[in-house]
Structure formats: structure tokens, C-alpha cells
Amino acid sequence: KAGVTQTPRYLIKTRGQQVTLSCSPISGHRSVSWYQQTPGQGLQFLFEYFSETQRNKGNFPGRFSGRQFSNSRSEMNVSTLELGDSALYLCASSELAGRRGSPLHFGNGTRLTVT
Amino acid sequence: AQKITQTQPGMFVQEKEAVTLDCTYDTSDPSYGLFWYKQPSSGEMIFLIYQGSYDQQNATEGRYSLNFQKARKSANLVISASQLGDSAMYFCAMKGETSGSRLTFGEGTQLTVNP
């Protein structure tokens, strides 16, 4: 089975621009979550989608948004980029949303640099 | 709310020796799951092992075992027979029954295996 696929791997954007990141979950996985990883804040939860509905949202400003399509693929969008948005963005999928023992499987991440 | 604490920013171990990575947690959820992930320099988060709060036995997966002490709220990862390829960042994480697929991560421990 193919793993979680994130595109692109690397991205360089200018402050004020917007960006869209893509994530294709493992086949059959309907839950997709997004995390931001920075040296200062560590791994922080952005949001979770299941069956095209946002189930959970972290403590991020409204500039961060996401969506999930009927094939479970997900995108996240960051508008009006700030220097502090530079981070590794990780997408994860799981087979059973909310099941305590259902592990999240992560992609390789998209490394975003804002200049 | 959940909180994970990893008190060892860095650990060193000789090849073929065992090493224990510490993790303590705090949660108000009566039921929860604990996970360990490995993150090599490539960035991908690799799922290693899972322990449920009501599991009677400590989890084991190959060279990985989880030393779960519920009363002390600790979930330490033990890696036996360390290999050079084990050098990576290791994260302890948890999710409670009210978290959906939202994982709370610790700060991580950078493990270096010396030849």
C-alpha cells in the first residue's frame, strides 16, 4: 500500500502570498490531520477532516484553512503568509477516526519557507 | 487537555546496547492511547508502537517495547540492540477519547547511536 503522499516537498514563498499544500492519504483512510512543526513550538495540531467535514481544529488563526475531497484527499491553505509560518507541515491519515488505538500515519511533509 | 513531557533533549547510546527514552503524560481523559514516533532527518514521522491505557500488558514491537506505568503516568520507550539507523528524533504522543485523531506531542528526544 502506498503511504501518505504530500506535495510539494519544498516551497519558498514571499510574505503576503498564499500557499496551498496537498495530501493524499493511505488508500482506505478517511481521516486526515495536519500538523505544523517548528523548532520553537514543536508539533502543533492544525485541523482534522473526516468524510469531508472538519472534526477538530487547533489554535491557529483563520489564515489557516483546509478542506477534504470526496476521495479523502486533503488540501490546506495559508493566506497572507508571515515569516513565522515557515515550518514543516505534516499530513497524517488514519483508518478509524477517533479510535484510541488507531495510529496516525504521516507523510514526508512539506517544508515551507517564507521570505 | 493532554500534556506530554520528554525531559531528555538528547541521548547517546553505543551500538548494540539498549536505551530508554523517557515520557511522562498528564490527561483528564479516563481512556487514552500513547504512541511513539521516530523522525529521521528526512522529516517523515514513523509510527513505532502503541499502548492503550487499559491494556494489561506492555506493548512490544520487534526491538521496541513500551514500559507503561499508569500510576506514575509514564510511558518510556525501550530500544534494544541499538543500530546506527536508530539515530533520529523520537516523539512521545497521546490522544484521549475526546481528542478524535488529534495527537498531543512531547518536545522530542534526539537519539544518537555511536559505532
Side-chain angles (χ1 to χ4, degrees):
Chain A
K1 231 182 212 183
V4 177
T5 304
Q6 289 188 247
T7 56
R9 283 298 309 275
Y10 302 94
L11 210 47
I12 300 175
K13 289 286 188 178
T14 303
R15 197 169 40 183
Q17 288 185 315
Q18 68 94 26
V19 67
T20 299
L21 313 181
S22 180
C23 172
S24 293
I26 292 172
S27 177
H29 287 193
R30 293 166 62 192
S31 172
V32 174
S33 308
W34 289 88
Y35 290 79
Q36 181 197 65
Q37 186 177 23
T38 60
Q41 300 296 318
L43 280 148
Q44 293 187 287
F45 171 79
L46 280 156
F47 25 66
E48 175 199 355
Y49 287 88
F50 181 79
S51 293
E52 303 178 64
T53 301
Q54 188 180 89
R55 286 167 49 99
N56 214 338
K57 190 177 191 310
N59 190 25
F60 278 81
R63 300 186 297 106
F64 291 81
S65 63
R67 59 177 176 169
Q68 186 181 33
F69 302 95
S70 58
N71 61 358
S72 294
R73 192 177 71 83
S74 177
E75 288 181 348
M76 69 163 279
N77 183 277
V78 188
S79 62
T80 320
L81 283 165
E82 300 177 0
L83 296 178
D85 297 333
S86 294
L88 178 67
Y89 289 88
L90 291 161
C91 170
S93 73
S94 65
E95 191 171 7
L96 298 169
R99 272 282 295 274
R100 197 180 65 242
S102 183
L104 272 63
H105 298 275
F106 287 82
N108 287 329
T110 293
R111 189 165 295 280
L112 172 66
T113 302
V114 182
T115 62
Chain B
Q2 286 96 30
K3 182 175 171 60
I4 295 282
T5 302
Q6 294 179 254
T7 57
Q8 306 156 313
M11 286 284 286
F12 295 86
V13 65
Q14 289 297 120
E15 197 178 4
K16 299 180 185 177
E17 292 186 350
V19 63
T20 298
L21 306 184
D22 294 342
C23 171
T24 58
Y25 62 91
D26 193 21
T27 181
S28 54
D29 282 335
S31 175
Y32 49 88
L34 295 152
F35 302 80
W36 277 91
Y37 284 86
K38 171 185 178 182
Q39 188 177 42
S41 55
S42 59
E44 183 184 5
M45 296 283 282
I46 303 167
F47 166 67
L48 296 177
I49 195 167
Y50 161 79
Q51 178 82 43
S53 58
Y54 287 108
D55 293 343
Q56 295 298 313
Q57 294 190 333
N58 287 343
T60 60
E61 287 287 348
R63 294 186 299 111
Y64 304 108
S65 61
L66 204 153
N67 184 1
F68 180 49
Q69 298 186 49
K70 193 171 182 178
R72 299 180 65 177
K73 293 190 176 181
S74 74
N76 299 337
L77 177 71
V78 180
I79 305 175
S80 63
S82 296
Q83 302 172 356
L84 296 178
D86 294 335
S87 294
M89 195 74 158
Y90 288 80
F91 290 95
C92 180
M94 75 178 301
K95 59 175 169 173
E97 62 183 13
T98 59
S99 303
S101 290
R102 176 177 187 159
L103 278 175
T104 298
F105 285 89
E107 304 90 343
T109 296
Q110 180 68 48
L111 176 67
T112 302
V113 180
N114 295 317

